[in-house]
Structures are given as structure tokens and as C-alpha cells.
Amino acid sequence: MNVKDDGGRTHELVRELGTGGQGSVYATQDERYVVKVLRLPDEAAREHWLRRLSAVRTLPLEDLRIARPIRLLQRPHVGYVMERVPGAQPLASLCQVPHVEAAPGEWYVRTGGLRRRLAVLARTARLLGHLHSRGLVYGDPSPANVLFSGDDTVSLIDADNLRYASRPLSERVLTPWFAAPEVYAGRSGVSSLTDAFAFAAMAFQTLTLVHPLLGDQVSQDDAEAEEAALRGEWPWIDHPHDDRNRSSAGLPRALVLTPALMALAEQTFGEGLRDPLARPGLSAWEEALWAAADRLLACPSCGAEADHALPECPWCGAGRGPYVLAEVQVTDQEVSDLAAVQGVPAPTMALAVVVVGSDGARHIQPRHFTGEAQGASHVELTFTGGRLSVRSLDEATYTLRREQRDKDDVPVEQQGKPKRFPLAPGRSAWQLHLGALAGQHRLVTFDLVGEAAP
């Protein structure tokens, strides 16, 4: 089939990429573009969608990774042309186990494991948060509308869903499993709070491989029971005091959710199921997802990653190898000197902990300082052979100092060789200062857990 856009260009539709309630998306002969063709019941609906698509093209999205309409289709078709995201996969490919897979755990690890899922979700939360900061809502977040590339960069498609907050039932466009209960039931239009619910449902299913509202009983009953659950009339599957909707499916929560992520899920699907104002925002999800990624440690036997606090690898049962806890703190030298004179511990404020195993380098990033995810990394940390290597990645020069021995100060420069020092179990005497030593600045301490091979 051929369609023509409002610039006079003809597009040959060569393959259907996906279809939904609104229409279908097609690959075109020109690999730079894809075309969405809408299915609409009548002329009134056509005029409505044309007005909406025209409005979406004027929204302030220039610096966001959103495939928005760049051309509208000419009659008799309604739809638009958008740029293709080369090599990207939908988030659905990480949260829906294919029927042919007999071992979901193995599939989970093979498709990127926990680190990839955490990174993709954190970037999705950030992208949706940027939209909200501009007064916009996405309207229909779902695993089919989130694309990720090989480097886990995230893009959103189906931009015709974008809008300002809508009135109840004015336009009921939704993906049932990821619509907020009040939207699914027709009690509300979309808002940043309904986007937050949809994101939480996507995050929970992507990490645990089970939907938060569809437990065993609901899944065994008829479609009416599922609809009732999606309207929020059943407890969520991990409700702490109500067992009616328990699920035997999915991965053990302690394996893939940190306590912070579990608390956000409880807040969203517990009190937040009926009260949108009780739901945590996207920034809270983003922060908790990145913090969970920082806690991961690769198994020296099977290579799969899991939280470092687990006593053994949950994927293969092997023992955990040694690792380093790099803790970013705020320190003040004057306060520390005063504490030393008085013989009391210097007060510190911990900002973040990054686990450094022997599986590869870890970076100290701006988000570890300020929570801001954007920006280049500051420092690279590598742990091999019982030694920790420190390298500056930006133009700053940092200082390695041995506690109470300032004459050993070692500069860590961008162009210089990585600085290495040995570690023994427990807190290292070496500390990395990321700022002027005399004033308040960031400090990184290092604790080796386990015996390192020489």
C-alpha cells in the first residue's frame, strides 16, 4: 500500500511493525521513516484527530527523544510520518516472556538481566518527567510505546497520545493493563498521576515478569474479574494484609526489587490504587532505579547480576566474589579537624553507594553528587587483583589522600595514568577527595568486602 504525506511525498508501506486499537505502524521503503495509519469510524473522528495531530506538531519537544509527527497523511488516509529509531526494541521485549521459553530466569538474564532493565526504566522515568515539567502528559505509556537502543537510550513513539490533561471520557485511548484504574473505569482523563501509575505498572512487570494487579484468582476467573482488577477493585498481588489476589507467577521480589523499589510499588498499588495523590512521582522512581543499579554485582561464576547484599548468586547459587563499596559523602575539613581535636568521629552525610566488582569499571557520576542524571562521569573506578584503580574522566584533578597523612597526597588527573592502591578487608585508609580540600566537598571512601585474590 502507498500513502502520500502533506508534503507530496509518497511512502510505500512494506511491513506492519505493530497494531493497536487506534491503528497500525508500518515500515516504509525509506528506512528513515515509519508511518502510522489510524483507523477511525467516521468523518467527525477524522477531523478530531487531524486537529490533534496538528497540535502535537507544535508542542515543545525539540530536545526530547520522542518520535513526533513530521508529516501528516493526505486523504483518504489519516495518520502521520515519523522518524524511525534504528535498531531499537520495545520495552515489551523485556517484560513479556515468550511462550517458547521454558526457563524465564534464563531468558531474563539473556535479554540483558537486571542492569539493563533498571537503566531502561530509569531513563524512561526521566523522559516522562521532562514531559510533565513542560505541562504535558504522555497519556498512554505502555511497553509497546517505549523503545530502547543498544546503549539503553530510550525513545517514546506514538506521540499522537501527547496532550495537556484531558477531561474524563473526552478521549478514551488506553492500553488496558497499564491504564490507571480511574482512567480504565472512565472516572478520569489522563494526567501526570495517571502517567505515573502506568510507569509503575511497566516497571513492576519489567522487573518481576508479573503484572501487579493480575494475580492467580483474577487470571483464572473470567474477563469480568480482570476488568474489575484493572478498575482497582481487587488488592494488588503483593498486598501486605490481603491475600485474595496473590500471584504464583513472576520472579521472587527480593531477587529483583530493592527495599526502596518495593516501597514505591506498595505506595503506588496500595494506597495509590484508589488515591492518585498518594502515588510516588517519576523522580522518586528514577532515583530508586539508579540506586538499585549501583548496588549490582556480577556473579564470578555465571556472570549474571544481582544485588550485592544477597548472600549468594540467585541465578546459579555460586558464592559471591569480593567487591568494594565506594561511598560518596559530603565532608568538611574544618569540621573534621575540630572533631579530631575533640576525639569524636567526624560527621558525614552519605549521598550514594556504588558497588565495584571485578566485572568491569564503575563511574562516579553527577547523579551521585546532586541527583542530576545528565552530564559526563567524573571518575572511573576499577577493581582487579586486590587493587583499586582510580582515573579522572573530566578536566578536574582530584586527590587521593591517606587518612591523617596529607604528605601522601596523590593527584588524579585526566591525562595521567590511573592511580592504583591495594585494599585489605574493611575500610581503606585511602580516600578520594572531589573538591578543594580546605572546604566542604565530596569525598569517596572505599570498603573491601570479602577476601581479594592477590
Side-chain angles (χ1 to χ4, degrees), residues 297-422:
L297 181 67
C299 173
S301 178
C302 71
E305 293 182 306
D307 193 289
H308 71 283
L310 295 173
E312 60 185 26
C313 174
W315 305 104
C316 73
R320 315 305 298 268
Y323 58 89
V324 178
L325 296 177
E327 183 175 271
V328 181
Q329 306 173 356
V330 176
T331 189
D332 189 309
Q333 193 59 49
E334 291 184 8
V335 175
S336 298
D337 292 343
L338 182 59
V341 170
Q342 296 179 345
V344 298
T348 58
M349 181 174 67
L351 298 177
V353 174
V354 179
V355 174
V356 188
S358 56
D359 54 318
R362 298 289 186 271
H363 291 178
I364 302 298
Q365 300 176 334
R367 63 185 169 83
H368 298 128
F369 284 18
T370 64
E372 173 56 55
Q374 298 286 57
S377 298
H378 298 300
V379 175
E380 180 182 83
L381 304 174
T382 308
F383 178 54
T384 54
R387 289 176 172 268
L388 190 72
S389 293
V390 181
R391 183 166 70 99
S392 173
L393 296 177
D394 54 25
E395 295 181 355
T397 297
Y398 303 117
T399 304
L400 267 174
R401 167 174 283 190
R402 218 164 358 166
E403 199 171 18
Q404 299 178 348
R405 293 182 62 177
D406 54 5
K407 65 181 180 181
D408 292 332
D409 285 357
V410 177
V412 180
E413 301 165 315
Q414 183 181 29
Q415 301 301 328
K417 292 183 179 179
K419 308 302 180 185
R420 301 185 71 204
F421 56 91

Side-chain angles (χ1 to χ4, degrees), residues 224-357:
E224 188 175 334
E226 179 174 315
E227 291 186 5
L230 296 177
R231 289 195 300 267
E233 297 169 9
W234 285 72
W236 81 293
I237 62 172
D238 290 342
H239 194 289
H241 309 300
D242 192 334
D243 294 338
R244 288 178 295 153
N245 197 19
R246 287 280 182 264
S247 175
S248 58
L251 298 172
R253 313 299 183 260
L255 192 156
V256 292
L257 298 178
T258 61
L261 289 171
M262 193 62 194
L264 292 175
E266 170 59 28
Q267 199 176 340
T268 302
F269 307 120
E271 185 180 2
L273 194 62
R274 296 293 190 90
D275 180 3
L277 293 176
R279 295 169 192 161
L282 291 163
S283 60
W285 277 101
E286 182 191 358
E287 182 179 347
L289 289 161
W290 281 127
D294 286 337
R295 293 169 58 90
L296 295 181
L297 181 67
C299 173
S301 178
C302 71
E305 293 182 306
D307 193 289
H308 71 283
L310 295 173
E312 60 185 26
C313 174
W315 305 104
C316 73
R320 315 305 298 268
Y323 58 89
V324 178
L325 296 177
E327 183 175 271
V328 181
Q329 306 173 356
V330 176
T331 189
D332 189 309
Q333 193 59 49
E334 291 184 8
V335 175
S336 298
D337 292 343
L338 182 59
V341 170
Q342 296 179 345
V344 298
T348 58
M349 181 174 67
L351 298 177
V353 174
V354 179
V355 174
V356 188

Side-chain angles (χ1 to χ4, degrees), residues 141-176:
S142 78
N145 292 339
V146 177
L147 301 184
F148 67 95
S149 302
D151 61 355
D152 298 338
T153 300
V154 168
S155 303
L156 295 174
I157 59 172
D158 262 6
D160 52 292
N161 295 315
L162 283 167
R163 70 198 75 188
Y164 297 98
S166 67
R167 294 172 296 174
L169 295 177
S170 60
E171 294 160 8
R172 198 166 185 266
V173 177
L174 54 84
T175 303

Side-chain angles (χ1 to χ4, degrees), residues 75-191:
R75 287 176 180 271
H77 304 287
V78 177
Y80 57 89
V81 181
M82 56 184 162
E83 289 183 354
R84 188 171 190 174
V85 184
Q89 303 177 62
L91 179 62
S93 66
L94 297 182
C95 68
Q96 296 172 354
V97 186
H99 294 302
V100 297
E101 293 290 343
E106 293 179 7
W107 172 84
Y108 193 90
V109 173
R110 192 172 69 247
T111 53
L114 191 50
R115 185 178 296 279
R116 159 164 278 185
R117 285 168 170 82
L118 291 168
V120 169
L121 289 168
R123 292 187 170 114
T124 304
R126 183 173 184 78
L127 185 50
L128 289 170
H130 276 306
L131 275 175
H132 294 172
S133 70
R134 300 180 186 189
L136 297 168
V137 296
Y138 183 74
D140 184 28
S142 78
N145 292 339
V146 177
L147 301 184
F148 67 95
S149 302
D151 61 355
D152 298 338
T153 300
V154 168
S155 303
L156 295 174
I157 59 172
D158 262 6
D160 52 292
N161 295 315
L162 283 167
R163 70 198 75 188
Y164 297 98
S166 67
R167 294 172 296 174
L169 295 177
S170 60
E171 294 160 8
R172 198 166 185 266
V173 177
L174 54 84
T175 303
W177 280 20
F178 302 98
E182 65 272 21
V183 175
Y184 187 80
R187 299 190 302 269
S188 169
V190 296
S191 67

